[in-house]
Amino acid sequence: TAPTSSTGCAPGRVSRPAPAVSPRDMLTRDQAAGLAGRPLTDRDGEPLGAVAELYPGAGDDVPAWAAVDVDGRRVPVPLDGAVPDEAGGARVRYARREVAGAPQAGEDALTPSLLERLHAHYGITDAELRDDSGFSTTTADARTQGTARDPAPGGSPVQGHP
């Protein structure tokens, strides 16, 4: 668990809550996959920069992180709760100050140690970046109805991850 400040936020996090986002508004898998080169803005609509790289989540190929160049550093930004914007890019749920203070991305993939530092910095877990909790699905029916993506042994339709 990430340490918290007296405001209940992880160190470096701004205590003001991010705008509420409906699952209907969140990026779909296809929209997330198409973000390379598109603009990314912070939760207040301030530009962060163009998406330089996309990194998949653990165990799948769905983009869970977008890297942008902020203040001369390439930093990964989680796409959990991100929404499409009018410019064809996305607005993330994090403030620019928080993104600018994130650990810098390495040369290639996000290493396990870097992911651990990023999770602590943003105050999130890997589960928040997975498809069943971080992105909307591509159809309205799936967005409004529960689905069993990970059936338990014996065929029981229980959602969750081992």
Side-chain angles (χ1 to χ4, degrees):
T1 305
T4 57
S5 68
S6 61
T7 63
C9 293
R13 281 197 85 153
V14 178
S15 62
R16 189 178 64 179
V21 176
S22 162
R24 291 183 191 273
D25 297 330
M26 290 190 300
L27 289 175
T28 64
R29 290 175 183 220
D30 291 339
Q31 289 169 324
L35 284 175
R38 307 301 305 171
L40 205 64
T41 58
D42 80 349
R43 70 177 178 202
D44 299 317
E46 294 296 317
L48 294 171
V51 174
E53 290 186 65
L54 292 166
Y55 301 104
D60 60 33
D61 61 352
V62 177
W65 299 87
V68 294
D69 294 324
V70 178
D71 300 333
R73 299 172 56 243
R74 182 158 293 174
V75 292
V77 183
L79 293 175
D80 63 309
V83 295
D85 68 12
E86 303 80 36
R91 178 173 45 95
V92 296
R93 67 183 186 106
Y94 302 95
R96 179 179 175 80
R97 187 175 107 207
E98 187 175 5
V99 172
Q104 189 167 338
E107 291 293 317
D108 296 317
L110 301 180
T111 64
S113 64
L114 177 57
L115 282 170
E116 189 175 307
R117 293 191 339 257
L118 287 166
H119 290 152
H121 174 78
Y122 287 108
I124 59 174
T125 65
D126 182 59
E128 290 172 288
L129 297 173
R130 295 192 56 145
D131 179 52
D132 58 342
S133 59
F135 286 106
S136 68
T137 57
T138 56
T139 65
D141 288 344
R143 289 182 187 160
T144 58
Q145 298 175 5
T147 59
R149 289 190 182 98
D150 297 327
S156 173
V158 176
Q159 183 169 342
H161 299 282

